[in-house]
Amino acid sequence: GYMQAVRNLLRDLAAGRADNSGVLGAVGSLIQVPQAYERAIDQALGAGLQNIVVEDEQAAKRLIGYLRQREYGRVTFLPVAALRPRVFSMQEKQSLSGRGVLGCAVDLISFEQAAQPAIAYLLGRTVIVENMDAAIELGRRNAFSFRCVTLQGDMLQSGGAMTGGSVRERGLISRDRLIEQAKEKVNSE
């Protein structure tokens, strides 16, 4: 689930205790991810899933004050009006091909259009690939200038660092789908 500070803030926003004007929501609640890409997107976003998307800097500033006043902890806000996402150029996009290359992360998921700058900020230079061999080949061909994430959630970072291994817990993304499936099963019985 969400970290305590995020959970408390979302609860207070929903209950009307905090001013929710200009708040779009937590990144995790604003995206829909095809099941095949859940682990990759979950790992690519990491803590970014818990970021709160807001319309502008004023909304972020107001909520940071609210967090401080309540001593809830810290939260990262993504004010869409201020974000400058780094994305692939058309030329770069054309080089994103080859065996095992599935596509740009932003193109493989769906999300509310208002949140587009925030999603592009988090995933704009991330490519989903089948496996680490595909990541290494694509990375080498492009001077490791962007991040590759495998379907298993292993990563080849821009610059060449590699992250991977086993993932124990289910991510936030698949958790939401599993809850929905369980509800549907209960309702159909």
Side-chain angles (χ1 to χ4, degrees), residues 116-163:
Q116 195 278 334
I119 306 308
Y121 174 82
L122 294 169
L123 294 174
R125 294 187 62 79
T126 301
V127 177
I128 307 298
V129 294
E130 280 177 21
N131 53 41
M132 200 47 100
D133 290 334
I136 292 167
E137 189 184 316
L138 186 63
R140 280 190 177 147
R141 244 187 14 239
N142 292 278
F144 302 103
S145 61
F146 49 82
R147 180 171 59 166
C148 294
V149 185
T150 71
L151 291 175
Q152 286 189 300
D154 296 331
M155 275 187 273
L156 177 59
Q157 306 286 356
S158 65
M162 296 168 78
T163 306

Side-chain angles (χ1 to χ4, degrees), residues 9-181:
L9 180 60
L10 290 173
R11 182 197 60 220
D12 287 7
L13 288 165
R17 285 192 291 273
D19 178 1
N20 68 0
S21 58
V23 177
L24 280 71
V27 168
S29 69
L30 297 172
I31 60 174
Q32 293 81 46
V33 181
Q35 195 173 338
Y37 305 127
E38 283 174 351
R39 180 164 283 165
I41 298 295
D42 208 64
Q43 292 300 309
L45 285 170
L49 274 166
Q50 314 228 0
N51 292 354
I52 304 291
V53 181
V54 294
E55 287 173 3
D56 56 29
E57 301 97 308
Q58 291 310 312
K61 184 180 146 197
R62 184 184 75 241
L63 292 169
I64 288 170
Y66 182 85
L67 290 166
R68 182 169 291 121
Q69 177 196 341
R70 294 275 191 299
E71 295 188 357
Y72 276 175
R74 297 167 69 83
V75 172
T76 298
F77 295 92
L78 301 176
V80 292
L83 295 174
R84 296 291 168 260
R86 292 181 57 236
V87 296
F88 292 111
S89 67
M90 289 315 286
Q91 190 180 345
E92 282 178 314
K93 259 196 164 163
Q94 286 163 356
S95 74
L96 301 179
S97 59
R99 200 167 62 237
V101 179
L102 302 171
C104 302
V106 275
D107 298 335
L108 298 174
I109 64 173
S110 46
F111 43 85
E112 295 183 30
Q113 206 44 51
Q116 195 278 334
I119 306 308
Y121 174 82
L122 294 169
L123 294 174
R125 294 187 62 79
T126 301
V127 177
I128 307 298
V129 294
E130 280 177 21
N131 53 41
M132 200 47 100
D133 290 334
I136 292 167
E137 189 184 316
L138 186 63
R140 280 190 177 147
R141 244 187 14 239
N142 292 278
F144 302 103
S145 61
F146 49 82
R147 180 171 59 166
C148 294
V149 185
T150 71
L151 291 175
Q152 286 189 300
D154 296 331
M155 275 187 273
L156 177 59
Q157 306 286 356
S158 65
M162 296 168 78
T163 306
S166 64
V167 181
R168 247 197 233 119
E169 78 290 337
R170 290 220 173 261
L172 269 177
I173 294 172
S174 60
R175 199 194 66 163
D176 290 346
R177 175 182 50 80
L178 293 167
I179 290 169
E180 275 309 303
Q181 286 175 346

